[in-house]
C-alpha cells in the first residue's frame, strides 16, 4: 500500500487556486480568419457574421484586436451555436483580393453579413466590448413586430416607413421571405406582421404585403409580385424603404460621404414639407437617370447651419439647393427655378462637365456671353466643401486613398 501524501498548507492553497482558476476561467473563442478558400462557405452558413477587415501595421487595427476578441467571447456565451453568430477577420495585406471585393478603403472596417449577404451599413459605433456586444444583440433581435390586433395600426408612428405583412401562418415560405427581407432592411423601415384570425380581414385575396408611406395623406401600396420570390420582394420593399431623396444627419453623414458621390442637397426648415415635396418631385422627374452619379439629399437648416454659412446663407434663406462635390460647394439659383423644366438637371450636368468649377474661377463660359460682350477673368474661390468633414476621420481610421473629387 502506497503511503499517503500530505501537502503543506502553501502547496494545498496553490493547488486549490489552480483548480478554481481552471473551473471558472471562461472559454475563449478563436476569431475565424477568412481567406479565399473559406470565406464564402463560412459567411454563407452564418446567420450573422461581423467581419473585421484590418492590417497588422495599422495602429487602430491593433487597438481593436483585443476588444473584438473579448466581444466575441461575450457573445459566444449567449449564442453558443457556431453558426448563430460568427466573429471573423480578414488580413487585408495578405488577402488584397478580398479587400478589393468588399471595397475596403480604410482600416479597421467592420462589416456585417447575413447568410453571406453583406449589409449596406457597416458598424461605425464605439469600439468597446459592450458596444460591439450590444450591436450584435440588436442584430439578433426579431426585426418584425407582431400585431395582435389590427387596431394597433392606428397607433403606428407615421413619420416612419411602415411595411406590414398579413399571413395565414407564421410557419410559411411567404413569411420566411418577408422575415429575411426585414433582417436586411429593418434600419430603413419598420416591419410589422399579423397572422391567422388577426390578419384575416386583410387577406381577402390571400397573404399580402402593404407599404404605408410617411404621413397620413399618401395612399397605401400593395405588393403584387410573388411572395416566395426573394429578389422580387426585396427589390420592391427596398424601393419603398430607401427613398430617392434621403435625409442627411450627423448620424449617417460618414456613411453617405463614404459612398463617394457628390451631394445635391436641399436645405429646408423641418416643418417646410412643401419645399421638400417639390424637390423630391423634380429630382424624380429630371434626375432619375443620374441616381448612380450623385446623392440626392435633404438637410435640416437649423441642424446644418455651418454648411449654410459656408455658402453665405442662413436658415432665414431656406429653402436653398446646393451641390457639395467634396472639394467645393455650389449654390443653385432661386429655389423656385427648380420648377423650370431641365433647370435642376442642367445644374447637375454643369457639375459633371466641370463648368461650375470653371465659372467660379474664371467667370461665365464664352458660350454664355452675349455677342460683343467683353470676356473678363474673374478670380474667385468657391466655398470649400463642408460635408467632407463628415467623412471617416484619420483619428479613427487609417485611410487608404484620397477620394477623387470634382
Amino acid at each position: 500500500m502506497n503511503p499517503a501524501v500530505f501537502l503543506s498548507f502553501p502547496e494545498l492553497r496553490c493547488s486549490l487556486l489552480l483548480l478554481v482558476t481552471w473551473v471558472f476561467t471562461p472559454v475563449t473563442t478563436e476569431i475565424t480568419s477568412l481567406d479565399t478558400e473559406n470565406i464564402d462557405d463560412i459567411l454563407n452558413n452564418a446567420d450573422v457574421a461581423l467581419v473585421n477587415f484590418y492590417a497588422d501595421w495599422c495602429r487602430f487595427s491593433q487597438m481593436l484586436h483585443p476588444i473584438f476578441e473579448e466581444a466575441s467571447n461575450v457573445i459566444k456565451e449567449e449564442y453558443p451555436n457556431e453558426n448563430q453568430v460568427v466573429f471573423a477577420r480578414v488580413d487585408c495585406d495578405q488577402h488584397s483580393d478580398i479587400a478589393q471585393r468588399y471595397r475596403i478603403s480604410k482600416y479597421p472596417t467592420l462589416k456585417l453579413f447575413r447568410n453571406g449577404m453583406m449589409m449596406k451599413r457597416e458598424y461605425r459605433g464605439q469600439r468597446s466590448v459592450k458596444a460591439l456586444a450590444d450591436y450584435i444583440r440588436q442584430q439578433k433581435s426579431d426585426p418584425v413586430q407582431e400585431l395582435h390586433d389590427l387596431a394597433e395600426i392606428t397607433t403606428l408612428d407615421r413619420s416612419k416607413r411602415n411595411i406590414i405583412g398579413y399571413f395565414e401562418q407564421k410557419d410559411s415560405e411567404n413569411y420566411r421571405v418577408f422575415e429575411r427581407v426585414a433582417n436586411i432592411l429593418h434600419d430603413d423601415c419598420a416591419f410589422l406582421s399579423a397572422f391567422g384570425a388577426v390578419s384575416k380581414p386583410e387577406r381577402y385575396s390571400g397573404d399580402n404585403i402593404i407599404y404605408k408611406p410617411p404621413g397620413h395623406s399618401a395612399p397605401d401600396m400593395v405588393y403584387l409580385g410573388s411572395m416566395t420570390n426573394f429578389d422580387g420582394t426585396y427589390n420592391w420593399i427596398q424601393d419603398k424603404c430607401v427613398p430617392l431623396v434621403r435625409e442627411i444627419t450627423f448620424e449617417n453623414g460618414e456613411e453617405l460621404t463614404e459612398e463617394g458621390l457628390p451631394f445635391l442637397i436641399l436645405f429646408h426648415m423641418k416643418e417646410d414639407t412643401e419645399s421638400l415635396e417639390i424637390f423630391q418631385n423634380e429630382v424624380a422627374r429630371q434626375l432619375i437617370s443620374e441616381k448612380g452619379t450623385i446623392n440626392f439629399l435633404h438637410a435640416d437648416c437649423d441642424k446644418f447651419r455651418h454648411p449654410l454659412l459656408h455658402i453665405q446663407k442662413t436658415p432665414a434663406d431656406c429653402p436653398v439647393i446646393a451641390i457639395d462635390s467634396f472639394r467645393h460647394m455650389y449654390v443653385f439659383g432661386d429655389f423656385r427655378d427648380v420648377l423650370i423644366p431641365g433647370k435642376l438637371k442642367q445644374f447637375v450636368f454643369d457639375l459633371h462637365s466641370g463648368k461650375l468649377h470653371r465659372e467660379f474661377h474664371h467667370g461665365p463660359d464664352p458660350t454664355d456671353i452675349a455677342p460683343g460682350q467683353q470676356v473678363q477673368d474673374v478670380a474667385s474661390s468657391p466655398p470649400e466643401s463642408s460635408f467632407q468633414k463628415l467623412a471617416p476621420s484619420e483619428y479613427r481610421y487609417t485611410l487608404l486613398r484620397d477620394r477623387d473629387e470634382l
Side-chain angles (χ1 to χ4, degrees):
M1 184 175 179
N2 293 328
V5 177
F6 294 96
L7 297 176
S8 65
F9 180 73
E11 290 173 325
L12 180 61
R13 185 173 61 179
C14 183
S15 298
L16 288 172
L17 181 62
L18 288 171
L19 179 62
V20 169
T21 302
W22 177 77
V23 170
F24 290 99
T25 298
V27 177
T28 58
T29 57
E30 282 290 323
I31 302 297
T32 305
S33 293
L34 302 179
D35 55 39
T36 52
E37 299 295 325
N38 67 6
I39 185 168
D40 291 327
D41 182 57
I42 290 174
L43 295 184
N44 288 341
N45 287 295
D47 294 342
V48 171
L50 186 62
V51 181
N52 175 17
F53 293 85
Y54 73 97
D56 276 332
W57 49 263
C58 164
R59 66 187 179 97
F60 300 111
S61 295
Q62 295 165 7
M63 294 163 62
L64 178 61
H65 282 323
I67 296 170
F68 195 71
E69 290 173 2
E70 181 59 28
S72 174
N73 292 337
V74 170
I75 289 298
K76 195 65 177 177
E77 291 184 4
E78 299 177 29
Y79 302 96
N81 186 303
E82 65 176 348
N83 290 332
Q84 283 182 298
V85 178
V86 170
F87 276 69
R89 61 188 173 195
V90 174
D91 184 334
C92 294
D93 279 343
Q94 297 294 321
H95 303 288
S96 58
D97 54 333
I98 297 179
Q100 290 173 9
R101 173 179 171 183
Y102 293 109
R103 299 182 179 181
I104 303 304
S105 61
K106 63 188 185 308
Y107 301 139
T109 293
L110 296 176
K111 288 190 175 288
L112 185 76
F113 293 78
R114 289 184 180 276
N115 302 112
M117 185 175 183
M118 184 180 75
M119 299 297 97
K120 183 179 179 182
R121 287 187 174 89
E122 64 187 56
Y123 178 78
R124 299 176 187 271
Q126 185 181 357
R127 292 174 189 159
S128 69
V129 173
K130 182 180 185 303
L132 285 170
D134 286 345
Y135 173 70
I136 293 299
R137 293 184 189 106
Q138 181 186 17
Q139 298 304 316
K140 289 294 292 179
S141 63
D142 193 339
V144 183
Q145 176 189 338
E146 183 175 348
L147 299 172
H148 300 285
D149 189 320
L150 293 185
E152 295 174 40
I153 293 174
T154 61
T155 64
L156 292 181
D157 182 350
R158 294 309 299 268
S159 67
K160 295 182 178 180
R161 299 168 185 274
N162 292 282
I163 303 288
I164 308 176
Y166 299 102
F167 304 93
E168 183 178 1
Q169 296 180 349
K170 191 169 188 176
D171 184 17
S172 65
E173 187 60 24
N174 284 354
Y175 181 71
R176 279 188 284 273
V177 169
F178 182 78
E179 187 179 40
R180 187 178 167 196
V181 173
N183 269 315
I184 298 169
L185 295 174
H186 67 273
D187 287 332
D188 300 294
C189 270
F191 285 82
L192 305 100
S193 63
F195 305 96
V198 175
S199 66
K200 190 173 182 179
E202 297 291 336
R203 288 189 291 104
Y204 41 84
S205 59
D207 290 359
N208 64 83
I209 300 172
I210 301 292
Y211 166 61
K212 287 186 174 293
H216 294 274
S217 57
D220 294 351
M221 300 178 70
V222 183
Y223 175 55
L224 299 176
S226 168
M227 293 182 66
T228 57
N229 183 318
F230 170 78
D231 290 337
T233 306
Y234 173 80
N235 289 334
W236 186 83
I237 294 179
Q238 183 190 44
D239 182 62
K240 305 298 176 285
C241 291
V242 183
L244 184 61
V245 178
R246 294 176 285 175
E247 182 177 12
I248 185 169
T249 64
F250 291 112
E251 288 73 29
N252 68 4
E254 181 180 282
E255 172 192 333
L256 290 171
T257 303
E258 199 174 11
E259 289 180 10
L261 299 176
F263 290 171
L264 175 67
I265 311 175
L266 167 70
F267 295 93
H268 67 106
M269 301 304 291
K270 188 174 182 179
E271 61 275 12
D272 180 13
T273 56
E274 180 186 354
S275 296
L276 175 58
E277 186 175 349
I278 291 172
F279 182 69
Q280 290 170 328
N281 291 338
E282 291 307 315
V283 166
R285 184 177 292 115
Q286 300 184 39
L287 294 170
I288 191 68
S289 62
E290 297 299 306
K291 187 176 180 181
T293 66
I294 192 165
N295 266 326
F296 309 117
L297 306 170
H298 67 100
D300 185 329
C301 281
D302 277 330
K303 292 181 180 177
F304 286 91
R305 288 170 177 261
H306 185 68
L308 282 172
L309 288 174
H310 257 56
I311 54 176
Q312 299 180 334
K313 302 287 184 181
T314 70
D317 297 309
C318 289
V320 173
I321 297 174
I323 283 176
D324 191 319
S325 72
F326 298 134
R327 186 175 178 185
H328 295 297
M329 292 187 73
Y330 307 98
V331 183
F332 186 72
D334 185 270
F335 173 76
R336 287 287 160 183
D337 287 350
V338 77
L339 295 171
I340 300 174
K343 187 81 172 180
L344 191 62
K345 187 172 187 177
Q346 189 60 54
F347 184 52
V348 173
F349 280 4
D350 288 346
L351 168 76
H352 293 314
S353 69
K355 183 178 178 182
L356 290 180
H357 187 76
R358 193 165 57 247
E359 289 191 342
F360 258 106
H361 286 289
H362 305 294
D365 278 358
T367 54
D368 297 331
I369 302 296
Q373 185 177 343
Q374 187 176 358
V375 178
Q376 180 180 0
D377 266 12
V378 181
S380 67
S381 180
E384 291 185 354
S385 167
S386 183
F387 288 92
Q388 174 65 18
K389 297 178 178 66
L390 297 180
S393 169
E394 61 184 9
Y395 298 105
R396 180 173 165 82
Y397 301 99
T398 299
L399 307 177
L400 300 186
R401 52 187 164 80
D402 293 326
R403 182 178 284 110
D404 242 345
E405 291 160 0
L406 294 169

